[in-house]
């Protein structure tokens, strides 16, 4: 570190430094301020948008509570357009798919779930896919359903494997491939939480040989 | 360099340098001090730390929900921590995903909570009082509510958006309402009189040593301090008792009962003070030949009491204004006061009932006083003796005599008892567990044990009997019984196996049953919900493989008492919806959808937890 002997020398040094660096200092400062302001604006905007999305979404939930299916459907549609890309848009999609499925428009429901499965994050993607396959099971697209589950990246789905395995079991039962169904159900039971219905499904598929051996 | 700086410290530049250097140092210093005072977190999720106090708080709330249940504290605390972590993981996730609650929503929700409402309306004062009680600021509370609302919004979004298709519902009923037809025979366990051989008994005895042991036992000597015993020894004199009686006179006094009525002449916009007083004086005159209640009903401005003759009920000091009270307490029974002024106006007051207060004379309560006096005096002595007991029994761990002599109490002895059961003093669970601690078994005095609030025990070991094997000859009858019943069961199982083999070979169940002198029972259309059969049996029936190609499935189910049921399952009929089910179809669909949603949500939560950065210190 330089040590200056007199105050005049210090002032001189300061002046010299300022002459050399004034432009870049000012540009730097201005840029800094712009960035901070811009960032703040962006944050505020995001917050505002999120608050709006949440409020509109609450309206949708309210309409569902009151069993106003038409206005719920419209609100869900609006949410997905206006707040595309937000979590709330995806939630609205899930509800709209439910509405469509209830009204018998399975094709529309599937399309919505397919979109969410493809575009959303891991959590919602898995949830949408599980429901999509459940619709396929109902409409007899068993092989296609197995295909969808087959294509799931195991790493992405680890915590959901019990859900998938039970569905796979259901699909195999529908295809009358009972041995494979049994194995899938047993996997689901091992991975997930105990469920009476799943236990019933397993018990229903008990193999003959098992009982030939003395208990 | 530092000296140079100090020399130049008057210059502006140097000041600048000093500030630049010193401030961070100073702050760093503070940081370090703050850090050392900090406790270590017990768990963390991302950058959120949880401390023991958070766990304790959560545990308190958690255990309040489980009031009356005895679950051990440690595992409850672990559960509380688990829940804290689970909630935090979810909270961080929903925040990261940009979920928010608006201020309006939070406000609306808070205002709808009944705790903060008075007469069905939100009350700000009550809200603040309640928060103060919880030592929580409004901002903190609103934040918590907001977090809770977001998490709830998220949970709803997943669970409520799930659905069940017609196929799902039909599959459910196919299984749920399934019917099965069975025939079965039950092979009973026949008691056998056959005596097992000595070798068998010895072998069994040697293999099951653990089962044939006398439990570990101890006997103890102990000192018991009890408040009651000390109280009995407190000497009393009449003088002391009387002094105590004087001091505690309130305890031995019944208060005066004074019931009053009044007539009010209100002072308000229409009636000034003078008019009110005049009215009061007139009424007073009228009362000379008129009933107080009648006048009250007629003229009193206190409309509420006017109907009941002005009755104000029992007179309590401290409720009314002083002028009113003075007048009311000075009156005799039946007397009517002169007009008395209060903030409301002028009152005429009448005492309608008067039972004078009574002080019970010393002689009539002497027994009570003696007991109370002795107990009060003994409390000090008990406390002091307790201190002495604690100290001396600790300082002289190898005997009780020292402290017993010092306290002038006798050492008592117990009979032998086990960890689970004892008599008299050993009936106390605390005493038993203290007696079996390492410390006591090694020959030291126990720590003081509190039995209730007014009894204190210190004990030491007298005799210790280790667990010991019981001799074979002593336990022979027990072993014989076990072996015999084992054998009987085995025989039943063998018979059952033979029957099963015959049925599988194609023999009719009637023929086989007749051969073995058994009864065939037939159940057609058995459902899961129908009872009547033993649970193990109907469970086994629904777990059995379905008959294939017209050939019944034959299997054995062991019933609780060891009987063997040989079952032939002849038919499985797919379930259909009953009329009742159809009526409830909407509800059933909803419930199945909800169950789906719940499993999906659980999977989601597990997935979040698997991905989160959680560390728990053990």
């Amino acid at each position: 570190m330089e040590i200056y002997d007199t105050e005049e020398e210090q002032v001189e040094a300061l002046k010299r430094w300022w002459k050399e660096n004034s432009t870049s200092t000012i540009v730097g400062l201005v840029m800094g301020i712009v960035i901070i302001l811009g960032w703040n604006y962006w944050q505020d905007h995001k917050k505002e948008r999120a608050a709006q999305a949440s409020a509109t979404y609450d309206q949708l939930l309210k309409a569902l509570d009151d069993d106003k299916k038409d206005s719920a459907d419209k609100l869900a549609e609006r949410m997905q357009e206006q707040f595309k890309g937000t979590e709330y848009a995806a939630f609205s999609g899930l509800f709209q798919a439910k509405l469509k499925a209830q009204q018998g428009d399975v094709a529309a429901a599937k399309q919505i779930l397919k979109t969410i499965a493809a575009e959303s994050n891991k959590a919602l993607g898995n949830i949408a896919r599980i429901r999509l396959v459940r619709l396929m099971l109902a409409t007899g697209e068993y092989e296609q359903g197995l295909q969808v589950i087959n294509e799931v990246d195991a790493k992405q789905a680890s915590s959901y494997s019990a859900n998938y395995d039970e569905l796979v079991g259901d699909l195999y039962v529908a295809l009358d491939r009972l041995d494979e169904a049994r194995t899938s159900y047993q996997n689901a039971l091992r991975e997930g939480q105990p469920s009476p219905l799943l236990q019933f499904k397993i018990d229903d598929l008990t193999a003959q040989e098992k009982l030939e051996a003395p208990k | 360099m530092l000296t140079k700086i100090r020399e130049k410290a008057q210059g502006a530049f140097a000041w600048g340098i000093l500030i630049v250097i010193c401030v961070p140092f100073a702050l760093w210093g503070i940081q370090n001090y703050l850090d050392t005072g900090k406790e270590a977190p017990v768990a963390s999720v991302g950058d959120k730390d949880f401390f023991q106090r958070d766990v304790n708080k959560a545990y308190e709330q958690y255990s309040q929900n489980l009031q009356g249940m005895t679950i051990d504290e440690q595992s409850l605390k672990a559960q509380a921590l688990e829940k804290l972590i689970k909630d935090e993981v979810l909270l961080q996730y929903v925040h990261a995903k940009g979920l928010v609650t608006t201020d309006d929503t939070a406000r609306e929700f808070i205002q709808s909570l009944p705790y903060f409402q008075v007469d069905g309306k939100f009350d700000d004062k009550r809200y603040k009082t309640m928060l103060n009680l919880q030592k929580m600021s409004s901002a903190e509370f609103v934040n918590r509510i907001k977090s809770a609302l977001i998490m709830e919004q998220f949970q709803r979004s997943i669970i409520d958006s799930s659905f069940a298709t017609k196929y799902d519902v039909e599959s459910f009923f196919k299984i749920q309402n399934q019917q099965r037809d069975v025939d079965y025979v039950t092979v009973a366990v026949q008691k056998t009189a056959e005596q097992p051989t000595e070798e068998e008994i010895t072998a069994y005895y040697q293999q099951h040593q653990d089962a044939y042991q006398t439990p570990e036992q101890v006997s103890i000597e102990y000192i018991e301090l009890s408040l009651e015993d000390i109280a009995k020894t407190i000497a009393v004199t009449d003088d002391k008792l009387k002094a105590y009686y004087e001091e505690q006179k309130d305890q031995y006094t019944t208060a005066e009962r004074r019931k009053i009525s009044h007539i009010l002449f209100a002072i308000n916009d229409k009636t000034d003070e003078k008019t009110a007083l005049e009215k009061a004086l007139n009424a007073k005159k009228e009362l000379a030949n008129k009933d107080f209640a009648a006048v009250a009903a007629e003229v009193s401005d206190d409309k509420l009491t006017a109907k009941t003759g002005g009755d104000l009920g029992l007179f309590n000091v401290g409720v009314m204004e002083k002028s009113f009270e003075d007048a009311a307490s000075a009156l005799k029974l039946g007397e009517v006061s002169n007009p008395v002024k209060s903030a409301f106006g002028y009152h005429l007051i009448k005492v309608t009932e008067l039972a004078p207060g009574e002080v019970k004379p010393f002689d009539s309560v002497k027994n009570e006083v003696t007991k109370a006096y002795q107990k009060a005096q003994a409390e000090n002595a008990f406390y002091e003796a307790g201190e002495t007991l604690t100290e001396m029994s600790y300082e002289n761990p190898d005997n009780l005599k020292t402290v017993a002599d010092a306290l002038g109490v006798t050492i008592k002895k117990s009979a032998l008892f086990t960890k689970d059961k004892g008599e008299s003093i050993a009936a106390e669970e605390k005493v038993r567990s203290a007696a079996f601690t390492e410390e006591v078994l090694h020959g030291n005095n126990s720590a003081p044990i509190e039995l209730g609030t007014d009894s204190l025990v210190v004990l030491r070991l007298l005799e210790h009997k280790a667990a010991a094997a019981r001799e074979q000859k002593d336990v022979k009858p027990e072993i014989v019984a076990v072996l015999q019943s084992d054998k009987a069961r085995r025989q039943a199982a063998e018979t059952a196996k033979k029957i099963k083999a015959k049925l599988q070979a194609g023999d009719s169940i009637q023929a086989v049953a007749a051969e073995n002198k058994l009864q065939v029972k037939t159940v057609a259309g058995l459902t899961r919900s129908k009872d009547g059969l033993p649970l193990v049996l109907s469970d086994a029936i629904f777990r059995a493989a379905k008959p294939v190609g017209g050939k019944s499935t034959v299997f054995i189910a062991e019933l609780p008492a060891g009987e063997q049921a040989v079952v032939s399952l002849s038919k499985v009929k797919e379930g259909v919806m009953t009329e009742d089910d159809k009526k409830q179809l909407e509800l059933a669909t909803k419930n199945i959808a909800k169950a789906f949603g719940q499993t999906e949500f659980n999977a989601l939560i597990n997935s979040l937890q698997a991905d989160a950065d959680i560390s728990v210190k053990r």
Side-chain angles (χ1 to χ4, degrees):
Chain A
M1 181 188 250
E2 293 171 74
I3 302 293
Y4 301 102
D5 285 332
T6 67
E7 286 181 26
E8 286 75 37
E9 271 185 37
Q10 290 166 15
V11 173
E12 270 310 303
L14 264 179
K15 277 184 179 163
R16 217 173 326 127
W17 180 87
W18 180 246
K19 218 172 186 177
E20 284 163 16
N21 298 298
S22 59
T23 335
S24 46
T25 308
I26 290 170
V27 168
L29 271 175
V30 169
M31 268 176 65
I33 290 168
V34 166
I35 286 172
I36 289 169
L37 286 179
W39 175 254
N40 278 346
Y41 173 76
W42 174 240
Q43 289 299 316
D44 283 351
H45 174 74
K46 254 173 62 178
K47 252 190 211 161
E48 179 69 16
R49 205 167 111 89
Q52 260 179 25
S54 176
T56 319
Y57 180 64
D58 276 341
Q59 281 177 29
L60 166 61
L61 293 181
K62 180 92 191 2
L64 288 164
D65 278 344
D66 298 346
D67 208 24
K68 288 180 190 155
K69 291 205 170 79
D70 281 349
S71 65
D73 190 62
K74 271 177 208 143
L75 273 167
E77 190 79 42
R78 203 180 106 199
M79 284 290 304
Q80 289 171 86
E81 283 164 19
Q82 201 175 342
F83 300 104
K84 198 170 174 14
T86 67
E87 201 81 347
Y88 287 115
F91 294 162
S92 306
L94 291 180
F95 273 114
Q96 201 186 18
K98 176 180 187 172
L99 286 170
K100 297 280 185 210
Q102 282 173 339
Q103 286 158 2
D105 191 352
V106 179
K110 271 192 215 157
Q111 193 47 53
I112 297 169
L113 291 173
K114 260 183 207 159
T115 313
I116 299 175
E119 292 175 4
S120 277
N121 52 53
K122 174 175 157 184
L124 294 186
N126 279 308
I127 299 280
R129 208 171 299 118
I130 289 166
R131 293 178 188 174
L132 174 64
V133 177
R134 203 175 295 137
L135 285 177
M136 292 174 144
L137 175 65
T139 50
E141 298 164 274
Y142 309 132
E143 296 288 355
Q144 293 91 322
L146 287 173
Q147 181 75 16
V148 169
I149 294 179
N150 241 333
E151 282 165 7
V152 178
D153 178 4
K155 237 197 269 163
Q156 287 287 306
S158 61
S159 298
Y160 302 88
S161 53
N163 304 57
Y164 283 122
D165 279 332
E166 187 169 348
L167 263 178
V168 170
D170 291 344
L171 289 163
Y172 279 135
V173 167
L175 286 165
D176 206 23
R177 286 155 68 176
L178 300 185
D179 288 337
E180 285 151 295
R182 189 183 312 121
T183 315
S184 300
Y185 283 146
Q186 276 159 354
N187 289 342
L189 188 71
R190 201 175 45 242
E191 291 146 359
Q193 279 149 349
S195 120
L197 181 58
L198 178 58
Q199 191 60 56
F200 284 176
K201 287 178 184 173
I202 293 179
D203 293 347
D204 208 47
L205 295 181
T206 307
Q208 281 289 340
E209 307 91 291
K210 187 178 149 197
L211 285 152
E212 296 298 335
K215 271 194 138 186
Chain B
M1 186 190 115
L2 282 175
T3 44
K4 274 263 163 102
I5 291 175
R6 207 173 51 208
E7 279 166 24
K8 298 289 167 198
Q10 59 274 61
F13 201 51
W15 267 116
I17 293 177
L18 267 185
I19 289 168
V20 169
I21 295 172
C22 293
V23 168
F25 269 122
L27 291 185
W28 256 298
I30 289 170
Q31 192 73 38
N32 282 338
Y33 285 118
L34 287 179
D35 272 348
T36 50
K38 227 184 197 171
E39 52 174 327
V42 289
S44 67
V45 177
D47 47 15
K48 165 89 182 172
D49 289 336
F50 290 108
F51 298 96
Q52 193 56 49
R53 57 173 181 275
D54 298 318
V55 179
N56 292 346
K57 216 171 178 182
Y59 160 76
E60 264 168 39
Q61 286 170 357
Y62 204 73
S63 57
Q64 265 171 18
N65 296 337
L66 302 167
Q67 245 170 22
M69 297 166 78
T70 43
I71 300 171
D72 97 284
E73 183 177 323
Q74 219 48 41
S75 74
L76 258 190
K77 273 194 175 160
Q79 282 179 34
L81 178 62
E82 211 169 280
K83 177 151 171 37
L84 270 185
I85 292 174
K86 211 168 164 182
D87 285 354
E88 180 63 25
V89 168
L90 179 57
L91 186 62
Q92 287 184 12
Y93 179 77
V94 293
H95 276 312
K97 289 294 162 202
L99 300 198
V100 293
T101 324
T102 59
D103 292 334
D104 289 343
T105 316
R107 189 179 319 120
E108 238 170 67
F109 177 77
I110 291 173
Q111 293 189 347
S112 73
L113 293 174
Y115 325 105
F116 305 135
Q117 289 181 346
V118 175
D119 301 332
K121 265 192 184 160
F122 177 75
D123 186 80
D124 198 48
K125 218 165 125 192
R126 189 177 166 84
Y127 171 66
K128 288 197 173 123
T129 326
M130 298 285 280
L131 287 195
N132 272 337
L133 279 177
Q134 298 287 319
K135 298 197 178 64
M136 209 186 275
S137 73
S138 180
E140 193 186 343
F141 180 71
V142 170
N143 252 336
R144 282 200 187 192
I145 292 290
K146 276 187 168 178
S147 302
L149 285 175
I150 307 179
M151 292 196 276
E152 199 178 291
Q153 195 188 43
F154 180 72
Q155 181 174 2
R156 248 201 95 175
S157 301
I158 303 300
I159 295 181
D160 289 5
S161 65
S162 198
F163 53 82
T165 62
K166 199 167 162 243
Y167 181 89
D168 294 327
V169 178
E170 279 167 0
S171 322
F172 171 77
F173 281 112
K174 265 184 203 167
I175 282 203
Q176 172 67 26
N177 290 353
Q178 193 181 73
Q179 297 186 359
R180 297 193 168 199
D181 296 353
V182 291
D183 301 296
Y184 69 96
V185 292
T186 313
V187 183
V189 179
Q190 305 277 354
K191 261 197 190 152
T192 159
E194 202 185 318
Q195 198 68 20
T197 63
E198 281 305 318
E199 288 79 44
E200 282 172 328
I201 295 173
T202 310
Y204 187 88
Y205 173 75
Q206 278 163 358
Q207 278 162 20
H208 298 84
Q209 288 268 307
D210 288 354
Y212 298 108
Q213 292 213 321
T214 49
E216 185 181 9
Q217 281 182 311
V218 295
S219 64
I220 53 168
E221 51 180 3
Y222 63 98
I223 292 178
E224 184 176 15
L225 279 183
S226 89
L227 182 60
E228 216 175 301
D229 291 344
I230 295 180
K232 279 183 202 148
T233 64
I234 300 282
V236 293
T237 63
D238 265 11
D239 287 348
K240 278 186 182 161
L241 286 184
K242 271 186 185 144
Y244 185 78
Y245 168 80
E246 287 300 328
E247 229 173 76
Q248 304 286 328
K249 215 163 194 173
D250 283 357
Q251 304 267 2
Y252 307 106
T253 304
T254 43
E256 177 192 81
R257 272 173 62 93
R258 187 178 278 264
K259 216 170 163 185
I260 57 170
S261 296
H262 83 148
I263 306 173
L264 174 68
F265 304 92
I267 302 173
N268 51 33
D269 307 343
K270 288 176 220 150
T271 323
D272 63 16
E273 192 181 331
K274 217 176 120 199
T275 332
L277 179 59
E278 260 167 39
K279 275 162 77 180
L281 287 169
N282 285 336
K284 168 108 206 229
K285 268 181 223 152
E286 245 179 275
L287 282 174
N289 44 29
K290 252 182 148 177
D291 186 36
F292 188 88
V295 178
E298 214 172 288
V299 301
S300 179
D301 286 328
D302 182 357
K303 295 297 172 212
L304 216 60
T305 62
K307 288 177 227 155
T308 53
D311 184 21
L312 283 174
L314 277 183
F315 173 69
N316 290 315
V317 176
V319 179
M320 302 292 288
E321 272 177 53
K322 192 162 183 320
S323 55
F324 188 96
E325 275 181 5
D326 288 348
S329 38
L331 290 172
K332 292 191 195 106
L333 181 65
E335 197 181 359
V336 178
S337 72
N338 285 321
V340 179
K341 199 178 161 226
S342 80
F344 301 103
Y346 281 98
H347 306 258
L348 294 178
I349 311 167
K350 180 183 177 181
V351 174
T352 55
E353 201 185 308
L354 181 62
E358 189 197 1
V359 182
K360 290 182 195 154
F362 175 73
D363 290 330
S364 78
V365 291
K366 190 169 170 188
N367 269 342
E368 275 174 59
V369 175
T370 313
K371 269 193 191 142
Y373 171 78
Q374 283 182 320
K375 197 166 177 202
Q377 297 301 309
E379 252 158 30
N380 250 338
F382 176 64
Y383 178 74
E384 276 164 21
E387 294 269 286
T388 315
L389 177 62
T390 308
E391 274 167 29
M392 292 187 66
S393 64
Y394 179 75
E395 282 161 11
N396 306 284
D398 55 349
N399 70 81
L400 282 177
K401 197 168 179 311
T402 322
V403 61
D405 289 347
L407 289 171
V409 293
T410 50
I411 299 176
K412 295 183 216 165
K413 286 174 184 171
S414 84
L416 281 167
F417 56 89
T418 67
K419 272 176 196 164
D420 315 312
K421 219 178 140 199
E423 274 164 11
S424 69
I425 188 82
E428 296 279 352
E429 202 268 328
K430 279 182 177 173
V431 170
R432 290 199 307 274
S433 64
F436 280 96
T437 52
E438 289 269 303
E439 214 190 344
V440 173
L441 291 179
H442 280 139
N444 289 326
N445 291 337
S446 75
I449 306 152
E450 274 181 43
L451 301 178
T453 52
D454 44 17
S455 178
L456 203 59
V457 171
V458 170
L459 57 85
R460 61 180 289 107
L461 188 67
L462 204 60
E463 190 191 350
H464 183 200
K465 272 194 178 167
R470 291 163 70 192
E471 281 186 53
Q472 187 177 336
K473 63 176 168 39
D474 295 337
V475 295
K476 190 174 166 188
E478 289 172 44
I479 294 180
V480 168
V482 171
L483 287 176
Q484 280 179 338
S485 104
D486 269 8
K487 183 153 197 184
R489 278 180 185 239
R490 266 204 312 276
Q491 278 170 351
E494 255 160 53
T495 315
K497 247 185 249 167
K498 275 182 206 148
I499 296 175
K500 182 184 163 193
K502 282 195 174 160
L503 291 180
Q504 277 173 331
D507 289 11
S508 88
I509 191 164
Q510 272 74 17
V512 181
E515 201 180 297
N516 288 280
K517 297 191 183 71
L518 295 171
Q519 281 254 304
V520 179
K521 285 183 191 146
T522 302
V523 184
L526 180 73
T527 60
R528 291 178 195 274
S529 50
K530 202 195 268 167
D531 35 50
L533 292 190
L535 197 62
V536 262
L537 183 55
S538 72
D539 274 358
I541 291 172
F542 277 98
R543 222 178 293 130
K546 293 176 186 170
V548 181
K551 198 165 173 276
S552 298
T553 308
V554 183
F555 62 94
I556 299 172
E558 187 175 323
L559 304 185
E563 306 119 298
Q564 308 279 323
V566 188
V567 188
S568 160
L569 170 63
S570 53
K571 200 170 133 198
V572 174
K573 206 173 133 208
E574 212 163 65
V576 286
M577 274 183 243
T578 64
E579 285 309 309
D580 274 355
D581 291 335
K582 278 179 192 157
K583 271 182 224 154
Q584 312 248 345
L585 186 60
E586 202 178 332
L587 183 68
T589 312
K590 240 184 209 169
N591 285 341
I592 295 170
K594 185 140 198 179
F596 284 155
Q598 193 64 56
T599 19
E600 287 159 6
F601 185 71
N602 289 346
L604 197 160
I605 293 289
N606 287 342
S607 156
L608 295 186
Q609 272 189 293
D611 293 346
D613 174 20
I614 301 172
S615 71
V616 180
K617 295 198 181 63
R618 291 273 171 226

